[in-house]
Amino acid sequence: MTAARRRTASVVVNLVLAAIGLVFLAPLLWLLTAAFDADAPLAARPPRELTLDNFARVLTWDVSLGPVLNGLLMCGGAALVAVSAAVLCAYPLSRYQLRFRRPFLYAVLFASGLPMTAVMVPVYSMFVRLHLIDSMAGTALFLAATSLPIAIWMTKNFMDGVPIALEEAAWVDGASGMQALRRIVLPLVLPGLSVVAIFTFITAWGNFYVPFVLLLDPAKQPASVGVYTFFGQGGLIAYGELAAYSLVYTAPVVLLYLLVSRTLGGAFALSGAIK
């Protein structure tokens, strides 16, 4: 391609990407404008009168603070369980030549594609038999189980990038398999595990269907279910309060991402690992 054609192609690509970016930014623009608008409509517009009344109405324990705390407990517990189980499952899949490794990985991949609505009826029946209905711990375990297949695949890929020579050197020094995993592999794949944890947390944080079905007490429901309360009878919606609640609901995920990305740097550090 000539220089002129490359410039033209670059301009076209940038325009297409800018258009796609505007499509995704439009809902965020509405949230920012409607949250501070005293009479927020459905369409995005500059606030006619800036106000914090919408935040004052939603920043109460029953409306947002309690559900956000419930969501942090459930989603944080689900992420912790999923990452721990994924590490223990992905390590032998990454390091050992197991006879049924490929069929097992395909089964895990198939499990990740099952629609949630197809499994909720048997899951609800199982929860009734185990007396786990309306249990935050049981709901957190199920949220972890739904994210476990993709967590295993992601963790295995991260562990595949760690040279096995590092573990062999630890074995020569007398380390056991679990000691090599804990002291050699895990510190090196910690950024990757943070990605798995964030992915699991965000997936559980945005899940409306599971806690809505399994949790009956409104005091135990997370913030993802709390959005439903802003859609009143007859189609009446408090758009300003809904936008303010959405910003509060989004804040923990954004803060978690910024904290992890700043702390871990998002990159693996294998330099000097042999030493």
Side-chain angles (χ1 to χ4, degrees), residues 27-50:
L28 298 179
L29 178 62
W30 178 84
L31 287 179
L32 293 176
T33 56
F36 299 95
D37 195 341
D39 187 19
L42 181 58
R45 71 177 187 187
R48 296 178 180 176
E49 180 183 355
L50 290 176

Side-chain angles (χ1 to χ4, degrees), residues 24-37 40 47 50-56 58-59 63-65 68 72 201 205 223-224 226-227 230 238-256 258:
F24 283 96
L25 288 176
L28 298 179
L29 178 62
W30 178 84
L31 287 179
L32 293 176
T33 56
F36 299 95
D37 195 341
L50 290 176
T51 181
L52 295 177
D53 292 343
N54 295 323
F55 288 95
V58 301
L59 285 177
V63 176
S64 63
L65 300 182
V68 167
L72 290 175
F201 184 89
W205 186 260
S224 58
V227 178
F230 290 94
Y239 291 111
E241 297 178 14
L242 176 60
Y245 183 89
S246 299
L247 290 179
V248 175
Y249 173 64
T250 308
V253 175
V254 176
L255 293 176
L256 176 64
L258 294 176

Side-chain angles (χ1 to χ4, degrees), residues 93 97-111 153 156:
L93 292 173
Q97 296 297 325
L98 304 177
R99 182 178 181 181
F100 299 103
R101 182 177 65 172
R102 187 176 296 274
F104 178 78
L105 288 173
Y106 285 148
V108 169
L109 184 62
F110 172 76
W153 269 89
K156 177 185 176 300

